[in-house]
Amino acid sequence: MSRARQVVTIAVRHGRHWSGPGFRRAARGGFVASVAALALVGGGSRADDDVVTEEVPASPQQQSVVFFEQQIDGMLGGWQGNRVPDRKGIASARMLEVDLVSRVCGLDDDQRGACVAAADLEAARATEGIDRLRRKYAGRSADFQTPEGQQEWNRFHQDFAAARAMLAPPLFGRSLLARVIVGVLDDDQRRRWDEELRERDARKWGVVVDGAMEILDRQVGLDHRQHEAIAGLLAAEPLRIDAGKFRERFGESSEILAGLAISRLPEEKVDPLLTERQQEVFRMASQRGAMWKQMLEQWDIIEK
């Protein structure tokens, strides 16, 4: 029997992987298209608004089956060309944070020893979490064309999110290292450390502002005067974000926070800066970003 072929046109956006938040939301909602599953297995990202034509086998089974061991490696960084984390790499990343605290606060030997012990323990826990995930899903797969397969993917993603959460940067969430640091600092050290965290929060919000302005520049067509005025409005109203919780839910996606920042811009201040045509496009961008607000507040990722 001749092997049928079909051409699938896949339009993907810059920086968005099939393992990213959009796909996960679809999976949690119970809707997973077989063509998305095929792209998920292939992984990778394309340039902005590229349309890519790929030949794929017509077999439904080949189009819809995803293998969990492949997903674990890909979603931990393999699809982006990054090294999949191991204990040595995780511990090294933690030690960079310990070194940062030492430089800012001037830790003595006992304080640094406590932080190093916490970093080592976190690295061991994170490694065990990944190993446990691998053991649980070794040799297993899911078929997205069946309700059972979709449920299995949802369960896998919940387990994966819990394992990946232990890889999140340790200083700004509820990690053991973050708690130990606060516990060993004296009053003067804590003042310096709090100032360092405030400065880092400001830099993180600056990244969100840059992402929001890139979207507005592209969609609304801002000139330099409009860009500078709107960027100033965003910078003046920073939003506190729990980076650890955000990564647990959404990975490294920055478009969600950029869209949320746009939705917080007051129309009464933005409208006078824009033409009528621009106002209409701006409102659509603002509405799209606002869709995330309630969800992020519900998960305590942003302040209410």
Side-chain angles (χ1 to χ4, degrees), residues 250-272:
F250 303 105
E252 299 297 331
S253 174
S254 60
E255 291 185 6
I256 293 172
L257 293 177
L260 179 65
I262 292 171
S263 74
R264 299 175 71 242
L265 284 166
E267 288 186 5
E268 66 273 13
K269 294 183 178 180
V270 174
D271 279 355

Side-chain angles (χ1 to χ4, degrees), residues 204-247:
K204 287 191 297 184
W205 181 246
V207 172
V208 175
V209 171
D210 289 343
M213 294 310 303
E214 192 276 332
I215 291 173
L216 291 178
D217 283 341
R218 185 177 70 248
Q219 296 184 2
V220 183
L222 301 178
D223 60 33
H224 178 72
R225 178 187 61 83
Q226 293 169 326
H227 177 105
E228 292 300 311
I230 294 175
L233 292 174
L234 284 172
E237 297 291 338
L239 184 66
R240 290 192 59 84
I241 302 163
D242 189 319
K245 287 184 180 180
F246 184 84
R247 284 187 175 86

Side-chain angles (χ1 to χ4, degrees), residues 1 38 70 90 106 135 143 159 177 182 195 197 227 232 301:
M1 179 182 296
L38 172 67
Q70 183 184 21
I90 297 169
R135 292 192 298 270
D143 186 345
D159 291 340
L177 179 55
V182 173
E195 179 62 27
L197 294 182
H227 177 105
I301 294 175

Side-chain angles (χ1 to χ4, degrees), residues 12-293:
V12 294
R13 302 186 61 187
H14 174 67
R16 180 63 57 85
H17 298 272
W18 288 105
S19 62
F23 185 84
R24 293 198 294 269
R25 291 194 299 276
R28 283 195 288 266
F31 173 77
V32 182
S34 60
V35 67
L38 172 67
L40 179 64
V41 174
S45 63
R46 309 284 185 187
D48 189 33
D49 295 330
D50 280 355
V51 176
V52 182
T53 300
E54 299 180 0
E55 287 191 353
V56 297
S59 166
Q61 188 175 18
Q62 289 178 334
Q63 289 181 4
S64 62
V65 174
V66 61
F67 296 91
F68 291 121
E69 289 177 284
Q70 183 184 21
Q71 293 304 302
I72 291 171
D73 286 340
M75 293 165 69
L76 285 174
W79 289 332
Q80 299 170 327
N82 298 329
R83 181 180 177 182
V84 176
D86 56 17
R87 179 167 180 171
K88 181 179 179 180
I90 297 169
S92 178
R94 294 306 195 258
M95 286 307 302
L96 287 174
E97 302 288 14
V98 173
D99 290 344
L100 170 62
V101 179
S102 294
R103 292 196 305 273
V104 172
C105 302
L107 301 181
D108 61 31
D109 290 343
D110 289 339
Q111 291 172 318
R112 182 177 174 85
C115 292
V116 169
D120 286 342
L121 182 55
E122 279 196 340
R125 288 176 175 176
T127 304
E128 173 56 27
I130 295 172
D131 289 344
R132 187 166 52 248
L133 185 71
R134 292 187 188 280
R135 292 192 298 270
K136 181 175 181 179
Y137 288 96
R140 292 170 61 180
S141 61
D143 186 345
F144 287 132
Q145 289 191 347
T146 67
E148 294 80 9
Q150 295 176 20
Q151 293 172 5
E152 183 73 1
W153 168 258
N154 292 341
R155 286 190 293 269
F156 164 76
H157 197 274
Q158 291 172 357
D159 291 340
F160 177 83
R164 186 178 60 185
M166 291 185 282
L167 300 174
L171 296 185
F172 309 103
R174 303 159 305 287
S175 72
L176 174 63
L177 179 55
R179 297 196 301 270
V180 168
I181 289 170
V182 173
V184 301
L185 299 181
D186 61 33
D187 290 343
D188 180 62
Q189 289 173 322
R190 189 170 301 173
R191 177 188 57 77
R192 282 181 277 165
W193 185 237
D194 287 343
E195 179 62 27
E196 176 68 23
L197 294 182
R198 282 193 294 271
E199 290 294 329
R200 186 173 288 196
D201 281 342
R203 292 196 299 272
K204 287 191 297 184
W205 181 246
V207 172
V208 175
V209 171
D210 289 343
M213 294 310 303
E214 192 276 332
I215 291 173
L216 291 178
D217 283 341
R218 185 177 70 248
Q219 296 184 2
V220 183
L222 301 178
D223 60 33
H224 178 72
R225 178 187 61 83
Q226 293 169 326
H227 177 105
E228 292 300 311
I230 294 175
L233 292 174
L234 284 172
E237 297 291 338
L239 184 66
R240 290 192 59 84
I241 302 163
D242 189 319
K245 287 184 180 180
F246 184 84
R247 284 187 175 86
E248 289 175 21
R249 296 281 184 174
F250 303 105
E252 299 297 331
S253 174
S254 60
E255 291 185 6
I256 293 172
L257 293 177
L260 179 65
I262 292 171
S263 74
R264 299 175 71 242
L265 284 166
E267 288 186 5
E268 66 273 13
K269 294 183 178 180
V270 174
D271 279 355
L273 301 170
L274 305 177
T275 67
E276 290 186 8
R277 189 187 302 275
Q278 287 178 316
Q279 290 172 12
E280 181 179 352
V281 179
F282 166 75
R283 286 188 176 86
M284 289 190 292
S286 179
Q287 290 167 4
R288 285 193 295 270
M291 295 171 60
W292 290 101
K293 183 175 184 292

